[in-house]
Amino acid sequence: MPLYQPGLEVPVLEQFSLKGKTALVTGGSRGIGRQIVQGLAEAGADVAFTYRTATEASETAASIAERTGVRARAYYADVTERIALGETMDRIAIEFANGHLNIVIANAGVCQNVPSLEYDEEAWSHMNSVNYDGAM
Ligand SMILES: NC(=O)c1ccc[n+]([C@@H]2O[C@H](COP(=O)([O-])OP(=O)(O)OC[C@H]3O[C@@H](n4cnc5c(N)ncnc54)[C@H](OP(=O)(O)O)[C@@H]3O)[C@@H](O)[C@H]2O)c1
């Protein structure tokens, strides 16, 4: 159905509703990712997110689910471990998203606030494996 039909207007906020959609946010345990999880949940989506070191990730998911009324669940994943990450995404799609994820946000990332000439090779390589390879 078109969103706008004269005489049959869909309420504006309803047009942004994600009710019935499923989403995955990598690195959703804290920072920007956590706010994205919260925003998707407030818009009505069921949200899975991954964490790597956050020990309270399950509690975070439970608290978001309780406040918004959607399903939210935390899954461990290191985005630099390609095969394991793929397996986790498959698992999330099957057991959390009924076989179909509508939204994936590749948020997990790292950053070192140092001048470019001070990056050593190991730090540069790690940053790229998280921020670029991890997103891909
Ligand atoms: N904050 C800013 O001003 C800013 C500006 C521009 C761009 N960004 C980018 O936006 C993204 C989020 O930034 P943020 O400030 O929210 O960062 P943050 O607070 O440091 O959070 C980073 C998130 O990424 C996860 N993560 C890190 N390494 C990972 C890995 N190897 N595998 C899986 N997950 C990993 C962390 O999980 P755990 O906590 O579980 O370890 C955490 O959830 C990053 O890509 C960042 O570079 C941020």
Side-chain angles (χ1 to χ4, degrees):
M1 181 177 83
L3 289 178
Y4 177 76
Q5 291 178 339
L8 184 65
E9 289 183 30
V10 178
V12 174
L13 288 183
E14 208 175 285
Q15 296 178 35
F16 291 90
S17 171
L18 296 177
K19 204 166 178 338
K21 306 284 186 193
T22 55
L24 164 64
V25 181
T26 66
S29 47
R30 63 187 162 96
I32 295 170
R34 180 172 170 161
Q35 298 305 310
I36 294 172
V37 171
Q38 177 79 31
L40 291 166
E42 286 174 7
D46 290 324
V47 193
F49 66 86
T50 68
Y51 67 95
R52 190 179 68 93
T53 60
T55 49
E56 73 293 353
S58 293
E59 288 79 2
T60 299
S63 148
I64 288 172
E66 192 183 325
R67 274 184 285 137
T68 58
V70 301
R71 292 185 301 120
R73 200 175 305 161
Y75 291 82
Y76 171 85
D78 184 331
V79 299
T80 67
E81 294 171 5
R82 184 172 164 223
I83 292 171
L85 176 64
E87 288 169 355
T88 301
M89 289 190 69
D90 285 346
R91 190 177 144 216
I92 293 169
I94 292 163
E95 76 178 24
F96 183 82
N98 296 321
H100 186 76
L101 274 166
N102 299 109
I103 301 163
V104 175
I105 311 272
N107 162 80
V110 289
C111 176
Q112 283 190 13
N113 288 314
V114 297
S116 54
L117 293 178
E118 289 176 23
Y119 268 102
D120 62 44
E121 209 153 310
E122 193 184 340
W124 178 247
S125 166
H126 175 67
M127 202 172 80
N128 286 324
S129 76
V130 176
N131 295 355
Y132 298 117
D133 301 338
M136 199 60 187

